[in-house]
Amino acid sequence: MGSSGAGKTTLLDVLANRKNVGVIGGERLIAGRPPGPDFQRGTAYAEQLDVHEPTATVREAFRFSAYLRQPAHVSKAEKDAYVEEVISLLELEDFADAMIGFPGFGLDVEARKRVTIGVELASKPQLLLFLDEPTSGLDGQSAYNIVRFLRKLAAAGQAILATIHQPNALLFENFDRLLLLEGGGRTVYFGDIGKDSHVLRDYFAKHGAVCPAEANPAEYQLEAIGAGSTRRVGDRDWADIWLDSEEFAQVKETIKQLNAEGLAMPEDTGGLGTSCKSRPPSEALCCPG
């Protein structure tokens, strides 16, 4: 999360290995190792714009994605069964045989967003599902429904990394962790959100930005760092505060520990962690190892 122009989508593109221009620094590691050649095959990326073939039905769109993107050794029957799992998971049974259409004629905005996510899920991503502002352009109820579906996916074992722009409090507490960026792409906070955002609230309160009980935590944190409509709290450099914080030191230690654990694992997983190829469709979605 962050202000417009903070680099949310750019960061998502870099992590998904979709950037082919500019200079990229730093390291991207999976289980302590650089991503293998199968990385992009094991990930899915749902873009902000919902672009679909208007004459295809929802089931046809999902099957087309499954046939082309799942491994060739997986049988057609298994792919079809997996598509039915995705349709059920996204609660699209009533629209499965409906033509997608185009904006203003066909599926509504919320259903089209679910189809966008479903097309990517049909590829059976073993590692990560990337989502670029999945609630953009949706009304409050539709945005809540999309986030509720994402919670279902996470509960089924799918790891999800999403960008989001100023969600309401109800949506915000559905996410597990937050990477908060200020202008220039500098990190302001990275860690757990907590129930009722108490972990995030406590961090900012410790440094002088106390979120009022009736305020939306997501909106308040953006305004506190100067990414909202008001001046930042205390005119402080929140990125420097983060770099000097105990929480940042703990994050670095956690990364070292995760890398060490990953390097201790066999290297024959193709950079994707534990293989999911043998999982039956009945298990819905693969755990990212």
Side-chain angles (χ1 to χ4, degrees):
M1 189 175 73
S3 60
S4 297
K8 302 185 296 294
T9 299
T10 299
L11 176 59
L12 201 70
D13 287 343
V14 169
L15 295 176
N17 200 20
R18 291 167 61 95
K19 276 293 182 189
N20 53 15
V21 296
V23 178
I24 300 172
E27 291 181 306
R28 291 184 302 123
L29 303 176
I30 303 172
R33 301 180 179 90
D38 292 336
F39 172 74
Q40 284 186 299
R41 187 179 303 167
T43 60
Y45 192 112
E47 297 186 2
Q48 186 173 342
L49 296 178
D50 305 312
V51 181
H52 300 288
E53 171 55 49
T55 60
T57 67
V58 172
R59 181 175 281 111
E60 287 171 345
F62 288 4
R63 286 183 174 180
F64 189 72
S65 177
Y67 294 164
L68 291 182
R69 298 170 66 184
Q70 287 191 29
H73 65 80
V74 179
S75 70
K76 180 175 179 293
E78 286 181 299
K79 292 175 181 177
D80 287 345
Y82 191 76
V83 163
E84 297 307 312
E85 294 280 356
V86 173
I87 289 173
S88 175
L89 197 66
L90 292 174
E91 300 177 13
L92 284 168
E93 296 96 329
D94 293 342
F95 303 105
D97 295 312
M99 284 199 306
I100 298 172
F102 46 85
F105 180 81
L107 299 183
D108 59 30
V109 178
E110 179 193 333
R112 289 177 66 86
K113 181 63 69 176
R114 279 189 272 167
V115 171
T116 298
I117 296 172
V119 165
E120 295 304 312
L121 289 177
S123 69
K124 204 173 186 178
Q126 299 174 22
L127 184 61
L128 266 173
L129 170 62
F130 295 96
L131 295 166
D132 188 14
E133 299 205 17
T135 61
S136 178
L138 300 179
D139 59 45
Q141 183 60 48
S142 298
Y144 176 76
N145 287 337
I146 291 297
V147 173
R148 180 170 61 86
F149 296 136
L150 297 183
R151 284 296 336 168
K152 287 179 64 176
L153 297 179
Q158 180 65 59
I160 299 172
L161 185 60
T163 65
I164 196 162
H165 182 73
Q166 204 160 333
N168 64 41
L170 189 60
L171 293 184
F172 190 57
E173 67 178 17
N174 278 280
F175 293 94
D176 298 311
R177 297 180 187 86
L178 171 69
L179 171 60
L180 183 59
L181 301 175
E182 69 173 12
R186 301 181 71 197
T187 299
V188 171
Y189 176 82
F190 177 57
D192 293 341
I193 295 175
K195 182 173 176 56
D196 296 326
S197 306
H198 76 274
V199 178
L200 180 63
R201 287 173 182 262
D202 290 348
Y203 172 78
F204 276 87
K206 184 168 65 174
H207 296 288
V210 180
C211 178
E214 70 280 1
N216 174 3
E219 186 174 341
Y220 177 80
Q221 311 310 340
L222 287 172
E223 292 187 351
I225 66 173
S229 58
T230 60
R231 294 184 62 189
R232 70 172 62 201
V233 174
D235 289 329
R236 310 181 67 184
D237 192 326
W238 287 96
D240 286 345
I241 292 174
W242 168 251
L243 292 176
D244 293 333
S245 69
E246 298 175 3
E247 288 80 2
F248 177 55
Q250 182 60 46
V251 166
K252 290 196 292 185
E253 287 301 316
T254 301
I255 291 174
K256 289 181 181 177
Q257 180 182 347
L258 291 173
N259 285 339
E261 293 174 357
L263 291 172
M265 295 168 56
E267 197 173 355
D268 59 357
T269 56
L272 292 175
T274 305
S275 175
C276 300
K277 292 179 179 179
S278 60
R279 292 279 191 94
S282 60
E283 294 190 19
L285 295 163
C286 286
C287 173

